[in-house]
Amino acid sequence: VSDDPFALGCPTTVLHCTELSQQGVMAALRAGHGYVTEGPEGPSLITQVEGTPMGSVRPAPAPLEAETTGAEGDDLVLIADGREVARATIPDGGRLVLSVPDTATHVRAEIEARASRDQLIAQFRNWLDQHEIPRGELPAQGAIPPILRAMANPHYFGDWT
């Protein structure tokens, strides 16, 4: 595990491929069957709606099922049509089910640092102290915006043809 927030592979795109080949990777990219996470070690964020993966189209909204690893105590945030509609603390075991508004046309999930926030900020500040890069003053810890650790591709509802 690298303490370098700018190491190769940070952030990382994770794809769910039906086959491990160039064609399988391209098909998963085109279908939106994946998510972006802070690095190769995670956290992981797999979402489904009625058993269908990210990037899928369903006729109507249904609950979003999320399976995560490496993010216990952080928040799972549900974004529907561009706005936050639900937030829950990720429990041990990492499984959550969140309701999706009946009017949603698309929904996605994000992992936002809460339990890991102070550690991530300290890790980043430590990295900055060890590297000569031009920068202004860092904001006070309370002024640092939310830290997004992972973001899933959306699920779509209705007619997208």
Side-chain angles (χ1 to χ4, degrees), residues 1 12-13 16 19 21 23 30 33-35 39 43 47 49 68 92 100 104 108 115-116 121 123 132 138 150-152:
V1 175
T12 299
T13 299
H16 297 280
E19 66 178 64
S21 66
Q23 293 81 10
R30 286 185 193 104
H33 294 196
Y35 62 92
T47 63
V49 173
T68 68
D92 290 344
V100 173
R108 65 180 170 81
S116 62
I121 292 170
Q123 179 184 6
E132 292 293 324
L138 292 174
M151 180 175 61

Side-chain angles (χ1 to χ4, degrees), residues 96-141:
L96 286 166
V97 177
L98 297 175
S99 295
V100 173
D102 292 340
T103 58
T105 61
H106 61 282
V107 65
R108 65 180 170 81
E110 301 176 345
I111 296 175
E112 187 179 300
R114 186 162 50 103
S116 62
R117 182 179 169 82
D118 290 345
Q119 177 186 357
L120 291 169
I121 292 170
Q123 179 184 6
F124 183 67
R125 287 180 184 274
N126 182 52
W127 184 90
L128 285 174
D129 289 344
Q130 297 175 25
H131 294 81
E132 292 293 324
I133 60 171
R135 64 178 189 271
E137 279 298 308
L138 292 174
Q141 189 151 334

Side-chain angles (χ1 to χ4, degrees), residues 15-29 31 33 53:
L15 297 173
H16 297 280
C17 303
T18 57
E19 66 178 64
L20 192 53
S21 66
Q22 182 178 355
Q23 293 81 10
V25 168
M26 293 307 296
L29 275 170
H33 294 196

Side-chain angles (χ1 to χ4, degrees), residues 6-77:
F6 303 109
L8 182 63
C10 298
T12 299
T13 299
V14 179
L15 297 173
H16 297 280
C17 303
T18 57
E19 66 178 64
L20 192 53
S21 66
Q22 182 178 355
Q23 293 81 10
V25 168
M26 293 307 296
L29 275 170
R30 286 185 193 104
H33 294 196
Y35 62 92
V36 176
T37 186
E38 64 190 29
E41 291 85 25
S44 68
L45 174 59
I46 300 168
T47 63
Q48 293 186 32
V49 173
E50 296 182 329
T52 61
M54 298 164 266
S56 298
V57 178
R58 303 292 307 153
L64 180 129
E65 301 170 31
E67 184 177 332
T68 68
T69 60
E72 292 79 6
D74 286 340
D75 287 342
L76 184 71
V77 180

